[in-house]
Amino acid sequence: MRCDTLWTNARLVTMTSGVEVVDCDVMDGVVASRDGRIVYAGPERDFDADTTHDLAGRLVTPGLIDPHTHLIYAGDRCHEFRARLEGASYEDIARAGGGIATTVRATRAATESDLVTQALPRLDALLAEGATTVEIKSGYGLTLADELKMLRAARALADHRRVRIVTTFLGAHALPPEFAGRSDDYVTEVCEVMIPAVATGGLAVAVDAFCENIGFTPAQTDRIFTAARAHGLQVTLHAEQLSNLNGAALAARHGAVSADHLEYLDEAGIAAMRTAGTVATLLPGAFYTLRETKVPPIDALRRAGVPIALATDHNPGTSPLSSLLLTMNMAATLFRLTVGECLAGVTRNAATALGLGDEIGTLEAGKACDLAVWDVDTPEQLVCRMGLNPLYQRVFNGAVS
Ligand code: DI6
Ligand code: FE
């Protein structure tokens, strides 16, 4: 059989095992790609290849996927980190006009090209550890023009680097100052002006909201999701991060691809997610940064067979994290996920969380040939170590980059 590129002497972690029992079995084999897609991944087989990479026993996983980030923004909030170390709380800072509002001011003042320039180093950090797909949310513009600017900047990153960018409209991230005291009016703007414009412009595949006491109510979220679905967009939700508002169940009723954070998720929410096929995306970087103590209900999610994804939640406030390797380590240590669950979280289940389960996330014929080749012997070496980057080669759509 003919192929463009062949990787031989590989140890493959295909991530194709069943949904409920997550193994990350390792098998000796080869990967073959043609026209950017995997044509074969499995035990040694003969191919007539244009290019062959002998991997000398290195480990190959699917390219990593970060399914929840706020990578596009301007400015910096490390002074707030310092203030928190000196005793201020996240809420104190927000009430004093800092927090998300600081990033909104800086992002509104930035041009689209400023936003691209500022995001590239953050994206490069993810790519350097084998990421091939990154989801990016808007939500620091909060006007139609500024939200569209953020989404265009996110999409433009794919013109600068070899990566798949998936964009999500998060107009309901925070209440913009122009709408102080009028949150229902802002939600009307999101539903009647912003979502139609995002959908018409093809600038996002999904709509997200921050459903929380300090964010938007379940009733407002319901309006936003109804508008999103009417425009053919997927939905996903920041839910149950700081309290239980039954946001995950609401998201599941709208057929959400994922519900994210979920520290305060209860059994009813888990059952609704299971029925709807909604992925639980956990964000250990925010848990760590906020010194949260309530761990998401991992055992109950496992028992229900709800797939678990992991993401950096990269943002300048609650999760200034640009490492999927460290995200896996935190999920293992803080949430007690197994090594297999950690790897599934940033590959197969992350793909499902983005509605891309047929396209990426496993090493299987027919999927995009996105690979991460690692200088390690076992999957646990990827999850156990902190601050060491063993990436040997990153492959995006069949091309080494
Ligand atoms: N939840 C969070 O933790 C972040 N956004 C959200 O909806 C916070 C974002 C920030 O502080 O800039
Ligand atoms: Fe987030």
Side-chain angles (χ1 to χ4, degrees), residues 248-281:
L250 169 72
R253 279 202 298 283
H254 286 273
V257 280
S258 76
D260 301 27
H261 284 291
L262 303 177
E263 280 81 347
Y264 289 82
L265 180 66
D266 63 13
E267 287 286 348
I270 292 170
M273 290 175 69
R274 153 118 225 193
T275 304
T278 303
V279 174
T281 300

Side-chain angles (χ1 to χ4, degrees), residues 68 208-218 221 225 236-253 256 258-273 278-283 286-287 290 292-297 301 335:
H68 178 145
D208 192 352
F210 185 34
C211 182
E212 197 55 70
N213 290 319
I214 58 166
F216 293 86
T217 66
T221 304
F225 282 180
T236 176
L237 189 65
H238 283 70
E240 272 77 89
Q241 180 187 7
L242 308 169
S243 61
N244 180 10
L245 298 186
N246 303 311
L250 169 72
R253 279 202 298 283
S258 76
D260 301 27
H261 284 291
L262 303 177
E263 280 81 347
Y264 289 82
L265 180 66
D266 63 13
E267 287 286 348
I270 292 170
M273 290 175 69
T278 303
V279 174
T281 300
L282 307 183
L283 310 173
F287 177 94
L290 295 175
E292 180 59 71
T293 52
K294 186 150 170 45
V295 174
L301 287 166
F335 298 164

Side-chain angles (χ1 to χ4, degrees), residues 351-400:
T352 308
L354 296 176
L356 293 175
D358 293 334
E359 180 66 16
I360 53 175
T362 62
L363 304 182
E364 275 180 283
K367 290 198 174 177
C369 186
D370 292 356
L371 314 175
V373 183
W374 307 95
D375 245 327
V376 300
D377 300 319
T378 63
E380 50 269 34
Q381 288 173 343
L382 287 179
V383 179
C384 165
R385 297 167 176 166
M386 294 182 278
L388 181 77
N389 179 6
L391 188 79
Y392 171 76
Q393 191 180 74
R394 194 181 76 98
V395 178
F396 176 68
N397 279 341
V400 174

Side-chain angles (χ1 to χ4, degrees), residues 24-36:
C24 48
D25 293 338
V26 182
M27 113 181 39
D28 291 342
V30 302
V31 180
S33 88
R34 193 167 55 221
D35 298 329

